[in-house]
Amino acid sequence: MKFYPYKRLNRPITVRVTSASLKLPDGTRDRLDTSAYSTPQRTVALGVAQHEDWVSARIGLSATLPPGATDPDAPWSGLRVLAVLTEGATNVRSSFDLRQDAPDSKEWSGEVEVFRDDHVGRASLAVHAVATVGGVAGRAIAETDGDWTVDVAAEEPLGGLRLDVKQASFSRSAREWLRPYADVPWVIDASGRLPLVMINADIEGFSDLLGGDSGGIENKVHELLVSQMATDVWTAVFHSAVGDLEVEPDGSPVFPTDWRGEVLREMLPDVVPGLRVEEALRQVHHRRTDDAGWVELQTRIHYAAVRRAGAGKALANVLRALQQLNREDSA
């Protein structure tokens, strides 16, 4: 734990990527899909569009400062919020001012420019709030508790949702809560520090198939199974995240600071499109607690889960493999 000889905020800054685009040699700009960045993994993959000759990338950011940052009686002045991009391999460090969205707002936004010639691999992106405290300028009063990674070559933000995956015999497990589920291939527990996926070892051959090492059509079936499992996980963790939200005195829901908050920021743009994530969370919370439109929202939640699980791509790969197999059989 660090100690500071001046007043600071006691909670971290929350930051999320809202957009990404590449500037190409001809001056045009290719706006990347949301699949280029992942909030749970805190990663931006600039190789997703497979442009090898891009000149620079522009990454849109939105940062939420902790409560008290902009209070009129706060013990600091001249508040600035800076996004800082660093890469050790090239010894590059760049900073960018974020702008306050509205007077007294905790929301700040802006853009980071990443020049391709300055980076060779993975850069770290953090956000810092600095101010004048006790007459000393440039003092840090808050920062993000974990950096984002900007990968200039990766084609996807690898890793996806962080999970704890275990295998057990459901029918004979020491975990008694698993026994009623002995006839299902997996169950999900979203109540812990990380979402837990339990794989049922009682189903013969299932564990080997999930290993995906057999090659051929089995690999494609493996991908399809994993995507189905991931769809179930994303759906479960979203419902867990919205099911136990803290609420401010004015009734506004508060983003959780653990993986649940990351899940919400990742999925809300697809669940309630066209709104800032804070307003989207308020709308989802209102629908769930007032039972007004909550049922209708389930389709959007499922859609958001399917997208993040890559189910469409996995299904397409299986269908292509089957078509190829059929052609070989009929030849």
Side-chain angles (χ1 to χ4, degrees):
M1 178 181 294
K2 294 182 179 179
F3 295 92
Y4 298 86
Y6 58 89
K7 293 287 188 179
R8 279 174 47 91
L9 294 163
N10 58 12
R11 294 178 64 181
I13 298 172
T14 300
V15 64
R16 54 211 169 272
V17 169
T18 57
S19 64
S21 63
L22 298 178
K23 183 179 180 181
L24 305 181
D26 61 2
T28 60
R29 189 166 291 278
D30 185 2
R31 184 178 178 86
L32 303 183
D33 187 75
T34 56
S35 61
Y37 43 92
S38 168
T39 299
Q41 283 303 111
R42 297 182 181 179
T43 300
V44 182
L46 296 177
V48 66
Q50 298 184 334
H51 292 296
E52 296 183 357
D53 56 350
W54 56 274
V55 177
S56 63
R58 187 173 295 165
I59 300 172
L61 299 178
S62 182
T64 304
L65 270 58
T70 58
D71 287 355
D73 57 351
W76 45 74
S77 61
L79 178 64
R80 295 176 65 194
V81 179
L82 302 172
V84 180
L85 185 71
T86 58
E87 183 175 347
T90 56
N91 201 29
V92 169
R93 180 182 176 89
S94 308
S95 62
F96 306 84
D97 275 285
L98 302 185
R99 303 173 302 276
Q100 193 172 18
D101 290 357
D104 301 323
S105 173
K106 294 183 295 183
E107 306 299 322
W108 296 62
S109 58
E111 295 177 328
V112 169
E113 198 81 16
V114 183
F115 292 95
R116 184 65 180 90
D117 289 344
D118 291 343
H119 300 276
V120 296
R122 295 162 69 88
S124 295
L125 178 62
V127 174
H128 302 264
V130 298
T132 298
V133 188
V136 180
R139 281 184 158 170
I141 63 169
E143 55 278 317
T144 46
D145 61 354
D147 293 352
W148 275 68
T149 296
V150 179
D151 194 316
V152 299
E155 296 182 8
E156 58 178 318
L158 297 175
L161 181 64
R162 289 170 289 175
L163 302 172
D164 186 10
V165 181
K166 292 181 170 35
Q167 293 194 28
S169 166
F170 284 15
S171 62
R172 300 185 300 274
S173 176
R175 296 179 172 91
E176 293 187 6
W177 65 271
L178 285 175
R179 295 175 187 172
Y181 308 113
D183 59 341
V184 299
W186 62 75
V187 293
I188 300 156
D189 178 9
S191 63
R193 185 181 60 85
L194 286 178
L196 170 65
V197 181
M198 294 297 304
I199 306 297
N200 191 353
D202 292 335
I203 300 178
E204 185 177 356
F206 183 51
S207 296
D208 293 337
L209 187 58
L210 283 179
D213 296 328
S214 52
I217 187 65
E218 288 83 0
N219 271 351
K220 304 306 179 185
V221 176
H222 156 82
E223 292 177 16
L224 189 62
L225 277 173
V226 170
S227 70
Q228 178 59 57
M229 188 185 304
T231 299
D232 291 349
V233 170
W234 279 106
T235 304
V237 296
F238 183 86
H239 281 280
S240 174
V242 299
D244 190 24
L245 292 170
E246 293 184 16
V247 179
E248 294 180 342
D250 64 356
S252 299
V254 178
F255 273 98
T257 57
D258 59 3
W259 61 263
R260 293 171 179 82
E262 296 177 349
V263 164
L264 291 174
R265 294 184 188 281
E266 177 84 1
M267 294 183 67
L268 281 171
D270 281 331
V271 176
V272 189
L275 298 179
R276 292 179 60 86
V277 289
E278 290 77 13
E279 179 57 35
L281 182 61
R282 281 192 289 269
Q283 187 171 131
V284 168
H285 178 67
H286 174 74
R287 291 194 186 189
R288 189 186 69 82
T289 55
D290 291 354
D291 197 27
W294 178 240
V295 173
E296 291 80 358
L297 206 60
Q298 301 310 302
T299 301
R300 297 294 312 185
I301 294 171
H302 183 257
Y303 166 72
V306 167
R307 284 198 65 198
R308 274 141 194 84
K313 179 180 178 181
L315 177 59
N317 288 341
V318 169
L319 293 176
R320 280 195 294 269
L322 288 173
Q323 290 169 357
Q324 178 65 27
L325 195 62
N326 289 336
R327 285 194 294 268
E328 293 173 355
D329 289 343
S330 61

PDB file of all heavy atoms in Angstrom, residues 86-92 118-122:
ATOM      1  N   THR A  86       2.511   4.109 -23.041  1.00  0.00           N
ATOM      2  CA  THR A  86       3.938   3.814 -22.913  1.00  0.00           C
ATOM      3  C   THR A  86       4.253   2.459 -23.520  1.00  0.00           C
ATOM      4  O   THR A  86       3.439   1.540 -23.480  1.00  0.00           O
ATOM      5  CB  THR A  86       4.385   3.812 -21.435  1.00  0.00           C
ATOM      6  OG1 THR A  86       3.613   2.839 -20.718  1.00  0.00           O
ATOM      7  CG2 THR A  86       4.188   5.170 -20.802  1.00  0.00           C
ATOM      8  N   GLU A  87       5.468   2.349 -24.073  1.00  0.00           N
ATOM      9  CA  GLU A  87       5.965   1.053 -24.545  1.00  0.00           C
ATOM     10  C   GLU A  87       7.443   0.958 -24.214  1.00  0.00           C
ATOM     11  O   GLU A  87       8.260   1.780 -24.677  1.00  0.00           O
ATOM     12  CB  GLU A  87       5.753   0.864 -26.043  1.00  0.00           C
ATOM     13  CG  GLU A  87       6.205  -0.526 -26.490  1.00  0.00           C
ATOM     14  CD  GLU A  87       5.900  -0.820 -27.951  1.00  0.00           C
ATOM     15  OE1 GLU A  87       5.137  -0.071 -28.578  1.00  0.00           O
ATOM     16  OE2 GLU A  87       6.446  -1.822 -28.461  1.00  0.00           O
ATOM     17  N   GLY A  88       7.797  -0.037 -23.411  1.00  0.00           N
ATOM     18  CA  GLY A  88       9.172  -0.199 -22.985  1.00  0.00           C
ATOM     19  C   GLY A  88      10.125  -0.538 -24.108  1.00  0.00           C
ATOM     20  O   GLY A  88      11.277  -0.104 -24.122  1.00  0.00           O
ATOM     21  N   ALA A  89       9.645  -1.324 -25.102  1.00  0.00           N
ATOM     22  CA  ALA A  89      10.529  -1.771 -26.180  1.00  0.00           C
ATOM     23  C   ALA A  89      11.054  -0.614 -27.014  1.00  0.00           C
ATOM     24  O   ALA A  89      12.179  -0.671 -27.529  1.00  0.00           O
ATOM     25  CB  ALA A  89       9.807  -2.770 -27.065  1.00  0.00           C
ATOM     26  N   THR A  90      10.262   0.438 -27.165  1.00  0.00           N
ATOM     27  CA  THR A  90      10.687   1.589 -27.966  1.00  0.00           C
ATOM     28  C   THR A  90      10.914   2.839 -27.122  1.00  0.00           C
ATOM     29  O   THR A  90      11.252   3.888 -27.655  1.00  0.00           O
ATOM     30  CB  THR A  90       9.622   1.902 -29.044  1.00  0.00           C
ATOM     31  OG1 THR A  90       8.351   2.113 -28.406  1.00  0.00           O
ATOM     32  CG2 THR A  90       9.495   0.756 -30.026  1.00  0.00           C
ATOM     33  N   ASN A  91      10.717   2.713 -25.813  1.00  0.00           N
ATOM     34  CA  ASN A  91      10.920   3.834 -24.888  1.00  0.00           C
ATOM     35  C   ASN A  91      10.069   5.046 -25.261  1.00  0.00           C
ATOM     36  O   ASN A  91      10.488   6.199 -25.133  1.00  0.00           O
ATOM     37  CB  ASN A  91      12.400   4.228 -24.838  1.00  0.00           C
ATOM     38  CG  ASN A  91      12.739   5.009 -23.567  1.00  0.00           C
ATOM     39  OD1 ASN A  91      12.098   4.818 -22.531  1.00  0.00           O
ATOM     40  ND2 ASN A  91      13.722   5.885 -23.657  1.00  0.00           N
ATOM     41  N   VAL A  92       8.843   4.769 -25.711  1.00  0.00           N
ATOM     42  CA  VAL A  92       7.913   5.840 -26.092  1.00  0.00           C
ATOM     43  C   VAL A  92       6.939   6.094 -24.944  1.00  0.00           C
ATOM     44  O   VAL A  92       6.407   5.147 -24.347  1.00  0.00           O
ATOM     45  CB  VAL A  92       7.140   5.455 -27.374  1.00  0.00           C
ATOM     46  CG1 VAL A  92       5.995   6.432 -27.629  1.00  0.00           C
ATOM     47  CG2 VAL A  92       8.075   5.434 -28.568  1.00  0.00           C
ATOM     48  N   ASP A 118       6.202   4.221 -34.035  1.00  0.00           N
ATOM     49  CA  ASP A 118       6.692   4.368 -32.661  1.00  0.00           C
ATOM     50  C   ASP A 118       6.551   3.090 -31.843  1.00  0.00           C
ATOM     51  O   ASP A 118       7.017   3.031 -30.702  1.00  0.00           O
ATOM     52  CB  ASP A 118       5.943   5.493 -31.938  1.00  0.00           C
ATOM     53  CG  ASP A 118       6.284   6.866 -32.495  1.00  0.00           C
ATOM     54  OD1 ASP A 118       7.312   6.976 -33.187  1.00  0.00           O
ATOM     55  OD2 ASP A 118       5.517   7.810 -32.245  1.00  0.00           O
ATOM     56  N   HIS A 119       5.870   2.082 -32.396  1.00  0.00           N
ATOM     57  CA  HIS A 119       5.542   0.904 -31.599  1.00  0.00           C
ATOM     58  C   HIS A 119       5.841  -0.376 -32.369  1.00  0.00           C
ATOM     59  O   HIS A 119       5.633  -0.448 -33.585  1.00  0.00           O
ATOM     60  CB  HIS A 119       4.065   0.939 -31.185  1.00  0.00           C
ATOM     61  CG  HIS A 119       3.711   2.132 -30.363  1.00  0.00           C
ATOM     62  ND1 HIS A 119       3.908   2.190 -29.009  1.00  0.00           N
ATOM     63  CD2 HIS A 119       3.183   3.338 -30.723  1.00  0.00           C
ATOM     64  CE1 HIS A 119       3.514   3.375 -28.546  1.00  0.00           C
ATOM     65  NE2 HIS A 119       3.070   4.087 -29.569  1.00  0.00           N
ATOM     66  N   VAL A 120       6.312  -1.384 -31.637  1.00  0.00           N
ATOM     67  CA  VAL A 120       6.648  -2.656 -32.278  1.00  0.00           C
ATOM     68  C   VAL A 120       5.803  -3.810 -31.756  1.00  0.00           C
ATOM     69  O   VAL A 120       5.774  -4.878 -32.354  1.00  0.00           O
ATOM     70  CB  VAL A 120       8.139  -3.003 -32.063  1.00  0.00           C
ATOM     71  CG1 VAL A 120       9.026  -1.985 -32.746  1.00  0.00           C
ATOM     72  CG2 VAL A 120       8.469  -3.109 -30.575  1.00  0.00           C
ATOM     73  N   GLY A 121       5.127  -3.620 -30.642  1.00  0.00           N
ATOM     74  CA  GLY A 121       4.371  -4.732 -30.062  1.00  0.00           C
ATOM     75  C   GLY A 121       3.202  -4.275 -29.234  1.00  0.00           C
ATOM     76  O   GLY A 121       2.189  -3.821 -29.755  1.00  0.00           O
ATOM     77  N   ARG A 122       3.370  -4.355 -27.918  1.00  0.00           N
ATOM     78  CA  ARG A 122       2.275  -4.078 -26.998  1.00  0.00           C
ATOM     79  C   ARG A 122       2.618  -2.864 -26.143  1.00  0.00           C
ATOM     80  O   ARG A 122       3.647  -2.837 -25.463  1.00  0.00           O
ATOM     81  CB  ARG A 122       2.016  -5.300 -26.108  1.00  0.00           C
ATOM     82  CG  ARG A 122       1.535  -6.500 -26.886  1.00  0.00           C
ATOM     83  CD  ARG A 122       1.707  -7.800 -26.109  1.00  0.00           C
ATOM     84  NE  ARG A 122       0.807  -7.870 -24.975  1.00  0.00           N
ATOM     85  CZ  ARG A 122      -0.431  -8.343 -25.028  1.00  0.00           C
ATOM     86  NH1 ARG A 122      -0.913  -8.781 -26.179  1.00  0.00           N
ATOM     87  NH2 ARG A 122      -1.182  -8.400 -23.955  1.00  0.00           N
TER      88      ARG A 122
END
